[in-house]
Amino acid sequence: MPSGFNKKTMTLALLMALPAIAIAADEEKKTADATQTMTEVKVKTQRIQDAPNKGYQATKTRVGKTYQDPQDVPQAVTTLTRELLHDQQVGSLREALRNVVGLSVNAAEGGRAGDNFNLRGFYTFGDIYLDNMRDTAQYNRETFNLEQVDVLRGSAAMLFGRGQAGGVINQVTKMAELNDKNTVTGSLGNYDYHQATGDFNKKLTDTAAIRVNVMDRHEETYRKNPANGDHPEIDRQGIAVSFGAGIGTENELFLNHVYLRTRDVPDFGISFVNKRPINTTIAGNKVDDSSFYGGSQNFDNSDTNITTGIFTHKFDDDTQLRTQLRHADYERAYWAKTPSAAFAPNATLAGGAGLGLGGGNNDVTRTQHYETYNLQSDFSTKLTLAGMTHSVLTGVEYLHEHSYRNSLRNLSTSAAPEFSEDEETAITPANTQYARFSANNYAVYAQDSVEFMPHWTALVGIRRDEMKADYTTSAAPHLDYGQNSYRSGLSWQPTTDQHYYITYSNSFSPTADLYQLTTVKQPPERSRTLEIGSKWLFMDGDLALRTAIFTTTKDWERNTDLIAFGNNSILTKRRRTNGLEVELTGKVTEHWDVFAGIALLDAKIINAAENISTAGVQTNADTRLDGQRARNTPRTTFNLWTTYDWSNGWKIGGGVEAKADRYGYSPTTTNASTLFVNGTFKPNTAPGYARVDAMVAYEQPKWAVRLNIKNLLDKAYYDAIYDNGAFLTPGNRRQAIVTTEYKF
């Protein structure tokens, strides 16, 4: 049994399985009774969640809390379907989100290693969800058990609770279905790429089924430590089980469990020199994008267990109560090596100028254990009141969080450090401020969508969140936040193929759960988004086009990890992104699929940061930063993926992912002279890039063979940047992957 699958998780899974088994038995009894009395089990007619997506075009989403066609959501939504990720041979969530325009990747450092993205120029580290429930732990996610990924853009606290300004990334789990189908795949590629997956679904009764997904993936990169020959590595395995009972009936229950194991060799990238990625000779050693500073001694190990029970009672076709209960356990330990701008990599990974790495190269070590219990219940219905149609959503949520993190101990007596993931440093006064926290979160919310006249709908929603948290710190031993969040909008849908809307929403985050503590209690982050958009359907609904123009403002923007930045927990006092997005998804013809988008972002600091030091003194960031472009926010992002399905099973495709340049710098500095050259703002800059991919496949009903070539033109590019500008991480060079698939 995997080590991460502890007794508490197993006990919870068994307790949650009991009602599932009972319901399955009850459904069997109903079926038997029906044979004798000629009374049928009442099964609902096809719902929107049963309808398949149209290739790359999504026709279903629960990102608005209830199942909807994305066409009807009065807010910008991007959905990455299983078909899109399948054709692109995507393994990780990070790789999947390359398809989302307006999104950029943050390189890992210190406390935010793991999936870490910017959306519309704002952090999403508190806004990653799994089936609409929080999944904010720091780990690297895989896509083997995902049906689709929904990205709801803009402030969304009314729907999801405390969060950031850019939007919500919601992963949608593969669920058990009422059919028998099995798919196995095997893939091989250069850079020691190999992956095996299995998706097995078995119908047990007329209303019960079980589904199992498994994955094993290994991959390296072209980057190498020239002194010891070691490469960064990805080594991940996962298994997910979904059991459903009463599927399609008035009482439907799913019991899901997913276990993900990672044993990576982490890559923290390369440094900047003269504001650009390093490309120079140091003591006779060439140091450039191919230089890896780590080695096989480094590790990034995690064990993730998530158990979820979902029970839905349908009163009728328009009224239902949906309740989810989850226990999640995340364990992680890592030791990584940061790059140096002054010294070349060495074989022993040791620090110190005499050993070739210098003081600028550090060991980043961390062990952490994050555990959550989450209960969420939503009631939705439609009714007619005062001659108007109301779609009402109400809900409650409870979330308990407990977290511990600390550094790992150096077990070596030599210059070369040796670490063990099982050995932790004792908690000392120097680090207890950031060691533990325990929090209870409570929320209640309500939303009404009113069709007050034909084709016109008004939306209004409110949510109240209360967070009470305790910490091992004398500066802020207890925090108590209570905030309201709002969502409103006006929609005009003159036909089913047209939707025009204007919407306003906001978000708040005390961010205490992310260790962003201050010596003096500061206001929570607050953000607000105003968006005007339109959605059209063409080609008999097979091709969807959406546009959105928006402005988002955030106040009291927080740091991602206070450990790394001392007293500077506030990044900016006010920041704003104005933008335009256009996306096109679906079928141009019966055989031609397309997924494309472009985002133009103008992200700026409005007011520089104000912070309170440990001595209680206010410090102000350099006011010359007012009006400057925000970090890690490209002005333009573009993506295109298209495939053409010829007759006789042949399919070809390809695409491009492009980003303009991005800045890396600290916006909290009190003297930003190094960021200005002759009065011009010139921080460290990651150059823009365009990555071209290609695919050719031969597909038959029972089997298929596919060749994917990623980075077809073999370009050096940088897909992740550490926000403060210390380093950036190159993407992989040209990679060919052959995949075989068999269905039975």
Side-chain angles (χ1 to χ4, degrees):
M1 180 177 294
S3 61
F5 196 101
N6 55 34
K7 292 182 179 179
K8 185 183 295 183
T9 302
M10 184 169 64
T11 300
L12 181 65
L14 290 173
L15 289 173
M16 295 172 68
L18 290 177
I21 296 169
I23 288 177
D26 183 60
E27 292 299 335
E28 288 285 4
K29 183 177 183 300
K30 288 182 179 180
T31 303
D33 291 343
T35 303
Q36 299 175 7
T37 64
M38 302 301 291
T39 302
E40 294 183 353
V41 175
K42 184 178 180 182
V43 179
K44 299 290 183 183
T45 56
Q46 188 180 51
R47 302 155 292 159
I48 186 171
Q49 57 262 48
D50 298 322
N53 289 323
K54 297 179 179 179
Y56 301 161
Q57 180 195 353
T59 60
K60 56 183 180 179
T61 180
R62 195 184 280 277
V63 79
K65 288 287 189 180
T66 59
Y67 264 115
Q68 294 175 275
D69 189 324
Q71 176 75 6
D72 298 327
V73 179
Q75 203 164 334
V77 179
T78 299
T79 296
L80 312 178
T81 66
R82 182 176 56 181
E83 292 81 2
L84 174 69
L85 304 185
H86 170 273
D87 285 352
Q88 294 179 338
Q89 189 58 29
V90 165
S92 67
L93 179 65
R94 173 171 168 169
E95 184 76 7
L97 290 175
R98 290 182 177 278
N99 295 286
V100 178
V101 293
L103 183 142
S104 50
V105 181
N106 298 314
E109 203 284 333
R112 291 314 307 177
D115 288 333
N116 189 0
F117 311 103
N118 273 18
L119 184 59
R120 288 184 170 179
F122 299 98
Y123 293 125
T124 62
F125 51 76
D127 296 309
I128 300 179
Y129 288 75
L130 179 64
D131 297 321
N132 286 49
M133 302 183 82
R134 283 189 173 275
D135 185 40
T136 55
Q138 301 169 33
Y139 72 106
N140 297 292
R141 297 159 178 84
E142 295 288 294
T143 62
F144 74 101
N145 190 44
L146 297 185
E147 184 69 28
Q148 63 188 49
V149 180
D150 294 320
V151 180
L152 178 70
R153 299 166 183 268
S155 307
M158 184 264 127
L159 291 171
F160 290 91
R162 69 181 194 270
Q164 310 303 313
V168 166
I169 299 169
N170 184 47
Q171 308 159 88
V172 181
T173 296
K174 292 179 180 178
M175 307 286 273
E177 301 175 353
L178 293 177
N179 55 44
D180 291 336
K181 64 176 183 179
N182 306 284
T183 303
V184 293
T185 71
S187 303
L188 291 174
N190 54 328
Y191 303 119
D192 200 21
Y193 179 99
H194 50 272
Q195 175 176 273
T197 68
D199 185 350
F200 310 100
N201 192 94
K202 177 65 177 177
K203 180 180 178 181
L204 302 176
T205 71
D206 288 343
T207 60
I210 189 169
R211 186 171 186 174
V212 178
N213 276 269
V214 294
M215 174 275 301
D216 188 330
R217 182 164 71 93
H218 180 88
E219 182 178 6
E220 299 180 4
T221 78
Y222 76 104
R223 288 168 41 70
K224 181 176 71 173
N225 186 323
N228 59 25
D230 290 342
H231 296 264
E233 295 183 20
I234 290 174
D235 190 4
R236 302 174 185 175
Q237 296 81 39
I239 181 170
V241 180
S242 174
F243 170 75
I247 300 174
T249 71
E250 293 92 338
N251 294 296
E252 187 177 70
L253 187 141
F254 286 94
L255 176 64
N256 301 328
H257 182 83
V258 58
Y259 168 71
L260 179 64
R261 177 184 187 270
T262 69
R263 297 295 186 266
D264 296 351
V265 175
D267 183 6
F268 273 38
I270 62 172
S271 299
F272 285 93
V273 172
N274 298 323
K275 312 295 186 182
R276 308 296 286 182
I278 192 170
N279 188 355
T280 188
T281 299
I282 301 176
N285 298 295
K286 179 67 175 176
V287 179
D288 57 16
D289 61 278
S290 66
S291 303
F292 174 48
Y293 278 81
S296 59
Q297 291 174 277
N298 295 137
F299 60 84
D300 185 350
N301 298 350
S302 68
D303 293 276
T304 299
N305 282 279
I306 303 174
T307 304
T308 309
I310 307 172
F311 179 75
T312 304
H313 175 68
K314 307 178 186 72
F315 298 91
D316 55 46
D317 288 341
D318 296 324
T319 305
Q320 70 174 28
L321 177 66
R322 187 172 191 265
T323 301
Q324 298 187 88
L325 175 64
R326 171 174 295 167
H327 171 252
D329 187 272
Y330 312 86
E331 293 187 79
R332 189 175 183 202
Y334 57 90
W335 167 38
K337 205 76 177 177
T338 61
S340 171
F343 300 92
N346 72 1
T348 63
L349 313 183
L355 294 173
L357 288 181
N361 180 268
N362 300 310
D363 296 305
V364 179
T365 71
R366 185 67 52 83
T367 179
Q368 53 198 39
H369 184 195
Y370 180 54
E371 187 176 21
T372 65
Y373 293 89
N374 198 180
L375 175 64
Q376 185 180 109
S377 189
D378 297 310
F379 175 78
S380 59
T381 188
K382 289 184 179 180
L383 54 91
T384 301
L385 185 64
M388 295 179 290
T389 301
H390 296 254
S391 297
V392 178
L393 168 70
T394 62
V396 295
E397 183 175 2
Y398 168 72
L399 171 67
H400 174 75
E401 302 167 276
H402 182 77
S403 180
Y404 162 83
R405 70 176 185 173
N406 204 355
S407 297
L408 295 173
R409 179 185 299 170
N410 185 352
L411 302 179
S412 176
T413 57
S414 65
E418 296 176 3
F419 289 89
S420 168
E421 59 181 302
D422 300 318
E423 293 288 338
E424 303 170 0
T425 58
I427 299 176
T428 66
N431 62 16
T432 52
Q433 182 172 2
Y434 316 110
R436 298 179 185 270
F437 89 93
S438 181
N440 290 295
N441 307 265
Y442 311 86
V444 58
Y445 45 92
Q447 176 182 276
D448 191 10
S449 181
V450 186
E451 187 176 4
F452 58 91
M453 60 184 298
H455 311 302
W456 288 89
T457 303
L459 174 72
V460 60
I462 183 172
R463 178 181 176 122
R464 178 69 180 181
D465 281 273
E466 295 283 345
M467 176 182 180
K468 304 179 187 302
D470 293 290
Y471 305 84
T472 53
T473 166
S474 58
H478 180 75
L479 290 182
D480 190 344
Y481 279 93
Q483 296 286 326
N484 292 337
S485 302
Y486 306 94
R487 184 180 187 223
S488 60
L490 179 66
S491 293
W492 179 46
Q493 294 180 270
T495 69
T496 57
D497 293 339
Q498 301 175 66
H499 185 184
Y500 308 91
Y501 66 88
I502 180 171
T503 186
Y504 169 85
S505 57
N506 66 4
S507 291
F508 90 98
S509 180
T511 60
D513 58 317
L514 301 170
Y515 305 94
Q516 297 148 345
L517 307 178
T518 53
T519 55
V520 177
K521 182 178 178 180
Q522 298 282 12
E525 289 181 312
R526 295 295 317 210
S527 62
R528 48 203 176 273
T529 298
L530 178 66
E531 179 176 301
I532 301 173
S534 59
K535 301 181 180 185
W536 294 279
L537 293 176
F538 302 100
M539 314 297 293
D540 294 326
D542 288 340
L543 186 66
L545 173 68
R546 78 160 184 89
T547 65
I549 184 170
F550 66 91
T551 179
T552 298
T553 302
K554 172 178 276 193
D555 298 330
W556 300 104
E557 179 189 16
R558 290 296 205 280
N559 188 356
T560 59
D561 182 22
L562 187 58
I563 290 179
F565 301 101
N567 300 319
N568 298 330
S569 62
I570 306 298
L571 287 173
T572 59
K573 188 174 181 180
R574 175 167 292 179
R575 191 153 75 78
R576 178 175 296 135
T577 299
N578 299 323
L580 169 68
E581 297 167 348
V582 180
E583 284 188 339
L584 180 70
T585 61
K587 291 183 174 295
V588 180
T589 69
E590 181 181 357
H591 302 286
W592 181 12
D593 288 89
V594 65
F595 187 99
I598 186 170
L600 308 176
L601 302 178
D602 180 20
K604 290 183 178 179
I605 296 173
I606 306 301
N607 300 121
E610 296 177 4
N611 278 288
I612 306 296
S613 71
T614 53
V617 177
Q618 178 173 312
T619 60
N620 298 322
D622 196 321
T623 57
R624 287 181 293 174
L625 295 173
D626 291 356
Q628 300 301 334
R629 176 155 52 116
R631 53 193 193 165
N632 199 9
T633 306
R635 286 194 176 99
T636 304
T637 59
F638 171 79
N639 80 278
L640 167 68
W641 178 263
T642 183
T643 58
Y644 190 82
D645 187 3
W646 282 332
S647 60
N648 301 320
W650 286 99
K651 187 176 186 178
I652 62 170
V656 59
E657 178 227 353
K659 286 181 172 61
D661 62 8
R662 294 144 288 153
Y663 288 165
Y665 66 94
S666 172
T668 64
T669 180
T670 57
N671 183 357
S673 296
T674 58
L675 300 179
F676 290 85
V677 178
N678 298 323
T680 302
F681 187 56
K682 289 188 176 181
N684 287 342
T685 303
Y689 69 88
R691 185 184 109 169
V692 177
D693 297 342
M695 182 271 286
V696 60
Y698 184 70
E699 300 176 345
Q700 293 297 309
K702 292 292 185 179
W703 60 275
V705 178
R706 185 174 65 255
L707 170 66
N708 290 86
I709 302 179
K710 302 183 178 184
N711 194 5
L712 177 67
L713 303 181
D714 199 28
K715 297 290 186 180
Y717 70 99
Y718 304 92
D719 67 342
I721 182 172
Y722 174 46
D723 279 346
N724 267 29
F727 47 81
L728 72 173
T729 306
N732 210 356
R733 300 298 287 264
R734 182 191 294 128
Q735 183 180 36
I737 301 172
V738 176
T739 301
T740 59
E741 180 178 283
Y742 179 62
K743 299 178 181 179
F744 58 98

